Amino acid sequence: MSDIIFNLYKFLECPNLKLRCPSWVKTPSPMFVFTVIMIFYFGITSGVIYDIVLETPSIGSRVDAQGHSRPVAFLPNRINGQYIMEGLAASCMFALGSGGFIMLDQLHSRQIMPRFTRMLLTGVALLSALVAFFVCRIFVKIKIPAYLAK
Amino acid sequence: MLQSKVLMRHPMLKWFLMSHEKQSYVLQLAILSLAMILSFCTRLFSVIRFGSMIHEFDPYFNYRTTKYLAEKGFYEFHNWFDDRAWYPLGRIIGGTIYPGLMVTSTALYHLLNTFNFTVDIREVCVFLAPLFSSLTTLVTFLMTRELHSTGAGLFAACCISIVPGYISRSVAGSYDNEGIAIFCMLLTYYFWIKSVKTGSLCWSACCALSYFYMVSAWGGYVFLVNLIPIHVLCLMLTGRFHHKIYVAYSTFYCLGTVLSMQISFVGFQPVQTSEHMGALGVFGLCQIYSFVEYVRSKLTKENFTALFRTILMFSLGCFALFFAVLTLSGKVAPWTGRFYSLLDPSYAKNNIPIIASVSEHQPTAWSSFYFDLHVLTIMFPVGLYYCFKNLTDHNIFVILYGVTSIYFAGVMVRLMLVLAPIMCILGGIGLSSVASTYVRNIDLTRKEDKKSKKSADNYPIKSEVALVVVCIVGAFMMFYAQHCVWVTSEAYSSPSIVLSAETAHGRIIFDDYREAYWWLRRNTPPDAKVMSWWDYGYQISAIANRTVLVDNNTWNNTHISRVGQAMSSPEERAYPIMRELDVDYVLVIFGGLSGYSSDDINKFLWMVRIGGSTPSGEHIKEHDYYTPQGEFRVDKLGSKTLLNCLMYKLSYYRFGSMYTQTGQPSGYDRVRNAEIGNKDFELTYLEEAYTTEHWIVRIYKVKKPDNRGNLV
């Protein structure tokens, strides 16, 4: 048996492989992963899977009293239905609101900051959070007129 | 001294004498109890409006099986073969359901009866889901407290007590697996986080036991059995794997798998299907990793690297070959239809019409996210951010849970239920972190003192900004509460079996479904067979107690297709199919008189699609039922095939002479908004047996063949 193996290795030569992980492959930093997840969240909450599977139009249209065709931004009266544009707009609002709160945290965690930057950051953060929240509310009210009505 | 004597005399003021820890403990207890009571109460809208009844369709099957279990005992239940459904095939119930829900209800029922609280089994079924939602609130608090802090726990508990995404499937009367499954899932996750943190065998064993409860409760346990291995894998990749996680996962996998195989429906799936292979793979990987670490600690560096490389290449090669052989030879089953459609959303739409036809299986639009979660859609990334800021072993688990459930909720609107708890947890962490960071900045001392201590010049109006932020957080929570209660009251508290509508004369209640089922129960022979579309099968079995051909289990596509063929064919071709299946009565749902839009005519195209999807239905083609312009119309311009098929005739029999709306001709269909095309016709092979008050349910009797074989 050992003879066979020795004879075999007279012909075969072990490849001198030096397999190493390439140096540019590193574990990504937490904030990088967080950014990727935020982009993923933005995509999913805009209803991208709904758009792909059900092939909705980008914007709807209706014919008004004079016979002109008017665009309709929000698919009315259906909770689980949307056009592409309204999905993206809503997703922007969610991301804006989250961004506002994250800015509020950045504001607090860094002690050394020029006065002007701090004031500006506070203003932008509070504005983002409030605008995002109220605009989302308005979107749903446009979409479903009976929202929060008796 | 005098002050404390005064305080001692007034029991309410004793509060102020207690130490801060005791005060905070009492406050936590009070908030948590209020959240638990709130979660129970907010789910009672439909009981107050319509009475204590079971809702929808699936809960009726669960109710029927629970009644059987309560009356006959566990062995009869486990060996039950039901010959009153799927006639003539029957259905093995014992081996094809998840018994956790039924066993829980029966246990509770027997417990209450032992203490002589003689409640009916129906009441236990109706109120089980709200009870378990209170327990879910408690478990969410415990879990978030482990993950972050008590404040975050309280925020998360308050959020989950009223979150609409969870309420939609756990309202009183919605007696379905998800009602207890969410509790079991969060309990398993809580024990898992405890075992990862402590590495103790006891917590891991508790995790395995609650995993067993979860497997017995819901088919969604596949999510758990893949998420926990992904977590362990992630910890290995980030270099955080250590002996605690080894102990936790090994114990959980071994005990959990053996326990899960005790459920008949699961059987040998954990070692045979691809959905469970991930867990097995990670288990093997854990052992190998730990062994490698052990060997590394014993050998010198060069010996170790040489040994490691050879063994790694050899074993990877072997493993890949082995796995490929198993998959190709069919020993390991690939991902099945329902779960595969989660990975490839367009698969169901193209290949399996039954899965695609259920509205709950549609992908999710943005408004569903906002409607079911409100402010949590904004706070979820904030919570994720705080988790990423201080990354620990258990935070990674929560991040993975969040990301995977966002994806699954985006693919299927029904899975919003799995997303809701993690949204509450991360939203709670986010809100609590923001609030607690800014509350510390609030400085309510008087203006004179403030001027003297001019704190950091680069942070002006610190206290005012903090006050504004805390007020915003409070306002968001108030808006959230308003939204959640409105949504629960208007959207998620309808029993579906009883309909109601507001008119100028007040509220009208449509109780047609139960009226028709009770008519069937009282006026037909006990062995009568009823044909209807599969949606109503469970309700007919449970309330009318008659044999049905197809029901909501939809396990046999060919049988459903046969019923679809009967409904889509003209009367002459449908009659032999009905005789073949021994049908005595046909039940259709019709909304044209009342304006009820979920009727059989609106579902008719699905009947055509499913009817035409098997070889015996090849003559049924969908485009025959459309007009030449491609529209689905029931008026004079509608396709002749549609106007003469059985479903059309059964829905519109005698409808041509009814006046439904002022200013419209007779036979005006209020749902399709059209005057029907085929008005005066008679039925040859069926006769009308019963039509309910608002014409919603119509029952027809199938005539027996004439004695002389001549049906004129």
Side-chain angles (χ1 to χ4, degrees):
Chain A
M1 183 66 188
S2 55
D3 290 336
I4 303 175
I5 295 180
F6 274 128
N7 288 330
L8 207 62
Y9 276 100
K10 280 189 185 143
F11 305 101
L12 298 175
E13 199 180 283
C14 260
N16 194 11
L17 287 173
K18 285 221 186 301
L19 292 172
R20 250 183 320 170
C21 216
S23 57
W24 47 266
V25 172
K26 282 189 296 244
T27 19
S29 78
M31 282 305 143
F32 176 73
V33 180
F34 174 67
T35 319
V36 171
I37 290 179
M38 267 305 277
I39 296 172
F40 176 71
Y41 179 73
F42 174 84
I44 299 278
T45 45
S46 73
V48 72
I49 300 178
Y50 180 93
D51 299 333
I52 293 175
V53 173
L54 291 170
E55 287 157 23
T56 51
S58 158
I59 231 169
S61 64
R62 66 177 170 90
V63 183
D64 71 2
Q66 281 86 37
H68 302 299
S69 163
R70 295 231 169 269
V72 170
F74 291 92
L75 184 67
N77 276 323
R78 276 186 61 186
I79 294 175
N80 198 33
Q82 64 169 49
Y83 296 125
I84 301 181
M85 291 303 284
E86 65 172 290
L88 290 169
S91 216
C92 280
M93 287 302 120
F94 296 154
L96 189 68
S98 321
F101 278 103
I102 293 173
M103 276 190 263
L104 279 178
D105 177 72
Q106 288 288 327
L107 180 74
H108 187 267
S109 57
R110 295 195 199 167
Q111 294 301 323
I112 313 294
M113 207 188 268
R115 183 195 157 107
F116 176 68
T117 320
R118 206 183 275 268
M119 298 290 289
L120 189 64
L121 200 58
T122 318
V124 169
L126 288 173
L127 201 68
S128 307
L130 287 169
V131 159
F133 181 76
F134 286 109
V135 167
C136 281
R137 223 171 131 89
I138 291 170
F139 279 176
V140 176
K141 190 85 183 153
I142 296 174
K143 195 175 165 77
I144 302 167
Y147 178 64
L148 288 182
K150 281 283 177 285
Chain B
M1 272 302 280
L2 189 65
Q3 275 172 330
S4 57
K5 273 202 187 129
V6 166
L7 284 169
M8 288 297 275
R9 249 185 245 138
H10 299 270
M12 295 284 277
L13 301 179
K14 264 199 196 153
W15 168 270
F16 296 103
L17 275 186
M18 284 195 281
S19 65
H20 274 204
E21 287 87 39
K22 280 202 186 139
Q23 278 184 1
S24 113
Y25 182 73
V26 170
L27 203 60
Q28 283 169 31
L29 203 63
I31 294 175
L32 193 58
S33 324
L34 279 174
M36 288 173 70
I37 294 172
L38 176 67
S39 65
F40 189 90
C41 295
T42 191
R43 287 163 167 81
L44 298 179
F45 277 102
S46 69
V47 174
I48 295 170
R49 289 173 186 165
F50 298 105
S52 146
M53 69 175 90
I54 309 270
H55 297 188
E56 301 272 325
F57 303 110
D58 279 4
Y60 274 101
F61 172 72
N62 297 327
Y63 172 57
R64 184 169 160 248
T65 47
T66 313
K67 257 199 317 191
Y68 191 92
L69 174 60
E71 281 159 24
K72 304 245 166 68
F74 188 72
Y75 285 103
E76 283 292 328
F77 172 76
H78 204 236
N79 292 317
W80 187 15
F81 178 82
D82 187 23
D83 56 352
R84 294 177 73 83
W86 295 92
Y87 184 86
L89 306 164
R91 180 189 168 180
I92 308 169
I93 292 196
T96 57
I97 57 167
Y98 289 103
L101 178 67
M102 297 85 186
V103 170
T104 312
S105 303
T106 317
L108 216 59
Y109 167 73
H110 285 310
L111 183 72
L112 287 170
N113 274 288
T114 324
F115 289 112
N116 281 325
F117 288 113
T118 46
V119 285
D120 184 40
I121 186 80
R122 197 194 73 219
E123 312 298 339
V124 174
C125 293
V126 166
F127 291 103
L128 188 77
L131 176 70
F132 269 79
S133 72
S134 291
L135 297 174
T136 306
T137 310
L138 179 64
V139 175
T140 311
F141 165 73
L142 291 171
M143 187 167 154
T144 319
R145 192 177 60 170
E146 283 301 318
L147 286 169
H148 197 259
S149 61
T150 316
L154 289 171
F155 264 106
C158 294
C159 284
I160 203 172
S161 60
I162 49 175
V163 69
Y166 180 34
I167 286 187
S168 64
R169 309 291 303 202
S170 68
V171 85
S174 175
Y175 181 57
D176 211 352
N177 300 70
E178 288 95 346
I180 60 169
I182 295 297
F183 167 70
C184 303
M185 188 172 80
L186 288 174
L187 192 67
T188 313
Y189 287 152
Y190 168 63
F191 285 137
W192 171 248
I193 288 174
K194 275 297 249 203
S195 36
V196 162
K197 273 176 113 170
T198 59
S200 125
L201 206 62
C202 180
W203 286 114
S204 313
C206 288
C207 185
L209 282 172
S210 77
Y211 172 68
F212 170 58
Y213 191 20
M214 173 73 191
V215 172
S216 73
W218 194 33
Y221 75 91
V222 174
F223 178 63
L224 252 108
V225 88
N226 282 302
L227 184 63
I228 291 180
I230 290 176
H231 177 223
V232 173
L233 197 63
C234 214
L235 290 175
M236 273 191 222
L237 290 173
T238 51
R240 287 169 179 271
F241 188 80
H242 48 72
H243 68 281
K244 285 187 189 163
I245 301 170
Y246 173 72
V247 168
Y249 186 67
S250 305
T251 320
F252 167 76
Y253 181 74
C254 295
L255 280 179
T257 309
V258 170
L259 283 171
S260 69
M261 294 205 266
Q262 305 308 308
I263 309 288
S264 329
F265 194 23
V266 174
F268 282 101
Q269 279 178 35
V271 291
Q272 279 179 342
T273 57
S274 295
E275 288 125 13
H276 298 85
M277 284 299 121
L280 178 64
V282 172
F283 178 66
L285 205 59
C286 268
Q287 311 305 317
I288 293 174
Y289 193 104
S290 310
F291 182 64
V292 162
E293 289 300 315
Y294 173 73
V295 169
R296 196 200 291 263
S297 67
K298 299 285 178 197
L299 286 182
T300 59
K301 193 160 173 19
E302 306 87 44
N303 288 357
F304 176 75
T305 12
L307 183 67
F308 182 64
R309 275 215 198 115
T310 20
I311 292 189
L312 181 71
M313 280 189 264
F314 177 72
S315 52
L316 275 178
C318 269
F319 185 68
L321 189 68
F322 184 63
F323 194 66
V325 165
L326 277 183
T327 312
L328 287 171
S329 70
K331 280 267 183 271
V332 173
W335 288 69
T336 51
R338 210 178 270 219
F339 293 115
Y340 186 74
S341 67
L342 287 178
L343 298 177
D344 176 10
S346 60
Y347 175 74
K349 183 179 169 212
N350 299 332
N351 300 19
I352 316 177
I354 285 191
I355 296 184
S357 73
V358 182
S359 65
E360 297 178 314
H361 292 177
Q362 302 300 322
T364 322
W366 76 270
S367 40
S368 285
F369 279 110
Y370 185 76
F371 215 67
D372 279 347
L373 301 162
H374 201 246
V375 84
L376 297 172
T377 50
I378 297 178
M379 299 312 297
F380 175 79
V382 181
L384 270 183
Y385 166 76
Y386 280 107
C387 281
F388 271 105
K389 256 182 89 171
N390 20 328
L391 218 51
T392 59
D393 298 342
H394 37 94
N395 276 351
I396 291 182
F397 176 74
V398 148
I399 291 167
L400 283 168
Y401 179 17
V403 173
T404 43
S405 16
I406 281 276
Y407 172 68
F408 289 129
V411 172
M412 204 186 267
V413 83
R414 181 184 177 178
L415 294 179
M416 188 73 76
L417 173 75
V418 175
L419 177 65
I422 188 64
M423 275 273 182
C424 292
I425 292 173
L426 283 171
I429 292 177
L431 282 166
S432 160
S433 309
V434 169
S436 55
T437 11
Y438 278 90
V439 157
R440 264 180 253 133
N441 287 351
I442 294 182
D443 191 9
L444 291 172
T445 51
R446 298 156 55 138
K447 274 219 157 94
E448 295 86 57
D449 303 329
K450 257 195 271 188
K451 267 199 191 132
S452 55
K453 39 173 162 163
K454 242 212 167 156
S455 52
D457 242 331
N458 58 3
Y459 201 164
I461 59 169
K462 194 172 183 176
S463 174
E464 282 78 0
V465 166
L467 212 60
V468 168
V469 172
V470 172
C471 285
I472 286 178
V473 170
F476 276 12
M477 291 301 279
M478 282 194 276
F479 281 121
Y480 173 72
Q482 180 203 25
H483 168 92
C484 292
V485 173
W486 182 86
V487 167
T488 310
S489 162
E490 297 302 315
Y492 291 140
S493 295
S494 123
S496 299
I497 196 171
V498 174
L499 312 157
S500 84
E502 285 282 342
T503 60
H505 309 284
R507 187 174 272 263
I508 309 183
I509 303 279
F510 296 90
D511 207 0
D512 289 44
Y513 279 100
R514 293 192 298 174
E515 181 190 338
Y517 299 141
W518 276 91
W519 183 91
L520 268 180
R521 194 189 181 106
R522 289 194 178 125
N523 297 294
T524 58
D527 61 350
K529 297 161 194 64
V530 181
M531 179 172 95
S532 70
W533 193 234
W534 59 261
D535 288 12
Y536 317 106
Y538 281 157
Q539 284 182 342
I540 298 174
S541 293
I543 306 178
N545 198 23
R546 293 286 173 268
T547 311
V548 287
L549 295 189
V550 288
D551 66 22
N552 308 58
N553 192 32
T554 64
W555 67 269
N556 192 327
N557 194 38
T558 316
H559 212 54
I560 297 178
S561 173
R562 204 87 182 103
V563 171
Q565 287 157 29
M567 297 293 195
S568 328
S569 312
E571 233 188 311
E572 306 74 45
R573 296 193 70 163
Y575 186 69
I577 301 178
M578 289 195 285
R579 290 297 307 152
E580 174 197 320
L581 295 169
D582 285 346
V583 177
D584 297 311
Y585 290 90
V586 183
L587 186 143
V588 295
I589 306 294
F590 172 61
L593 187 75
S594 51
Y596 175 56
S597 57
S598 311
D599 65 352
D600 280 357
I601 296 280
N602 273 359
K603 291 181 193 162
F604 183 63
L605 282 173
W606 284 109
M607 296 186 201
V608 170
R609 282 177 201 136
I610 295 174
S613 68
T614 55
S616 47
E618 265 166 355
H619 59 281
I620 295 177
K621 294 188 186 39
E622 195 181 335
H623 71 82
D624 289 342
Y625 296 84
Y626 290 117
T627 60
Q629 293 79 32
E631 290 176 289
F632 181 75
R633 296 180 75 122
V634 296
D635 52 15
K636 273 195 268 292
L637 300 172
S639 110
K640 284 283 162 281
T641 334
L642 173 65
L643 262 49
N644 286 306
C645 73
L646 185 71
M647 175 54 68
Y648 183 94
K649 286 194 170 167
L650 295 183
S651 296
Y652 292 119
Y653 182 65
R654 288 194 305 115
F655 187 64
S657 51
M658 293 292 290
Y659 283 94
T660 55
Q661 237 180 338
T662 49
Q664 298 289 355
S666 68
Y668 184 75
D669 184 341
R670 290 176 66 185
V671 177
R672 267 62 58 178
N673 289 319
E675 180 192 351
I676 59 171
N678 192 1
K679 280 193 200 179
D680 298 312
F681 56 84
E682 275 302 321
L683 295 169
T684 337
Y685 298 96
L686 297 106
E687 58 186 6
E688 190 181 359
Y690 189 72
T691 297
T692 56
E693 185 187 343
H694 301 103
W695 285 48
I696 292 184
V697 186
R698 310 195 67 182
I699 302 177
Y700 294 85
K701 187 172 157 64
V702 177
K703 287 184 189 164
K704 292 277 184 289
D706 206 34
N707 272 335
R708 289 196 201 153
N710 230 14
L711 203 62
V712 169

